[in-house]
Amino acid sequence: MTEEVNTMKAFGVTEFGGPEALHSLDLPIPEPGPGEIRIRVAAAAVNAVDSLIRSGVARFSDTQPPFVPGADAAGVVDQIGGGTDTDLSLGDRVMAIVLPAGTHGAYAQYVTVPAESAVKAPTNTGDEEAATVPMNGLTARLALDTLGLAAGQVVAITGAAGAVGGYAVQLAKTDGLQVIASAAPEDEDLVRKLGADIVVPRGPEWAYQVREHVSNGVHGLVDAAGLGDLAVPAVRDGGTVVSLRGQDGAEDRGIVVKSIVVFRYAREHAKLDQLRQQVEQGTLLPRVARVLPADQAAEAHRLLEAGGLRGRIVLAF
């Protein structure tokens, strides 16, 4: 008689460190509780926050090692917790945003998430493409919602060739905004393809070059590149800067800086499903830089930290 297997492979750390600290782990297969679903993971995107978790810079309270990174997953629903209200069914292909606290990250063969954190995967993508959408797409959505600009107003987006910045450009255009983006010369065609109306070369004078196109300054700015104070001069008096890192604050000229954390949107089911629809409609383009087997998670982190990626590395299970 064959004994039932109740463990899974995951990739994480027992001690914080560099990419080499990531290694294979044998962990119990998680059981979904009320309000949760379990996903058999086919693909997990590799994001900047993953390296922060691996190195110990980002820590979740009340969790103990091992720590499994991964905030994006795509795969198949294989179990639904009792009493869970969901439109998902067993066997559905899904994508989900994952709160990577302790062993709950997406670098694993199975992961449980609140039902609100998962939606059906876009019908026109594979698992690798779908895995790049939830966290990065919701970050861009939250950034634009935080700005709260009206159609026709002008938004500036730094780091527009990156994963979050690229999604922000595309979503801003679907919101009816005018987009001024920063990009390296070799990325200008890409950023224009994503929908930017004006592309200004990145560099220390970028903000002042934006003013050459919009003399009063832009209404709002999404700082996906982390320029900080260097980006603020591009914004008009009384405007808003959304930062993906750092603290809320105020600048001269009545400019407000708002810092966002994507996990605020982890249960925004309708917003995640809207991203799915936009991918299916062709107004949101998932970009995969490279696919690696999950057991090469350490190499994925080395590539991530080397920079220069256009799209996300994805781990395949």
Side-chain angles (χ1 to χ4, degrees):
M1 182 175 180
T2 304
E3 191 172 316
E4 184 178 354
V5 176
N6 60 0
T7 61
M8 66 176 181
K9 286 292 183 185
F11 299 89
V13 297
T14 48
E15 294 184 3
F16 299 122
E20 70 283 350
L22 284 164
H23 61 277
S24 176
L25 301 163
D26 290 316
L27 298 175
I29 296 176
E31 294 294 329
E36 294 181 332
I37 65 168
R38 186 172 71 193
I39 300 169
R40 187 173 73 247
V41 177
V46 178
N47 295 286
V49 68
D50 299 349
S51 66
L52 300 179
I53 292 170
R54 184 210 72 226
S55 62
V57 173
R59 301 193 189 191
F60 292 88
S61 60
D62 301 324
T63 57
Q64 299 295 322
F67 298 101
V68 177
D72 282 308
V76 174
V77 177
D78 93 314
Q79 194 169 329
I80 298 174
T84 299
D85 182 15
T86 179
D87 59 352
L88 298 172
S89 303
L90 295 178
D92 281 349
R93 288 185 60 245
V94 294
M95 62 182 184
I97 182 169
V98 181
L99 182 63
T103 62
H104 299 114
Y107 293 10
Q109 290 178 308
Y110 294 88
V111 68
T112 58
V113 297
E116 301 96 325
S117 298
V119 298
K120 290 182 179 180
T123 56
N124 57 340
T125 69
D127 294 319
E128 291 85 2
E129 292 84 4
T132 72
V133 175
M135 181 185 176
N136 295 286
L138 286 173
T139 300
R141 184 68 269 161
L142 174 58
L144 293 168
D145 290 350
T146 301
L147 287 179
L149 302 183
Q153 291 187 306
V154 185
V155 63
I157 298 171
T158 70
V164 174
Y167 280 147
V169 169
Q170 295 171 81
L171 294 177
K173 290 306 298 179
T174 63
D175 289 350
L177 303 177
Q178 298 182 51
V179 177
I180 299 181
S182 73
E186 61 269 24
D187 291 322
E188 182 174 343
D189 288 346
L190 166 64
V191 173
R192 289 189 184 279
K193 178 183 176 183
L194 294 176
D197 299 289
I198 298 170
V199 181
V200 176
R202 67 185 187 185
E205 300 299 313
W206 174 80
Y208 299 100
Q209 292 177 357
V210 169
R211 290 279 188 150
E212 295 177 8
H213 296 277
V214 185
S215 59
N216 292 332
V218 299
H219 297 92
L221 184 145
V222 176
D223 187 17
L227 297 185
D229 292 342
L230 291 176
V232 173
V235 181
R236 66 179 56 197
D237 295 0
T240 304
V241 175
V242 168
S243 173
L244 306 189
R245 53 192 87 164
Q247 303 296 319
D248 294 348
E251 299 283 341
D252 294 337
R253 302 187 288 114
I255 295 172
V256 176
V257 179
K258 297 182 178 181
S259 181
I260 62 170
V261 179
V262 67
F263 296 117
R264 282 176 45 197
Y265 267 16
R267 296 194 178 200
E268 290 286 347
H269 185 269
K271 293 182 184 296
L272 182 56
D273 197 54
Q274 183 181 43
L275 296 177
R276 173 194 63 79
Q277 295 174 47
Q278 290 170 322
V279 172
E280 292 182 344
Q281 293 161 1
T283 57
L284 194 64
L285 176 66
R287 290 181 293 144
V288 174
R290 190 167 173 182
V291 179
L292 294 175
D295 61 6
Q296 294 184 26
E299 176 62 14
H301 277 228
R302 292 186 190 98
L303 293 170
L304 175 72
E305 294 181 358
L309 298 170
R310 297 297 173 256
R312 283 292 179 224
I313 299 173
V314 177
L315 299 177
F317 284 84

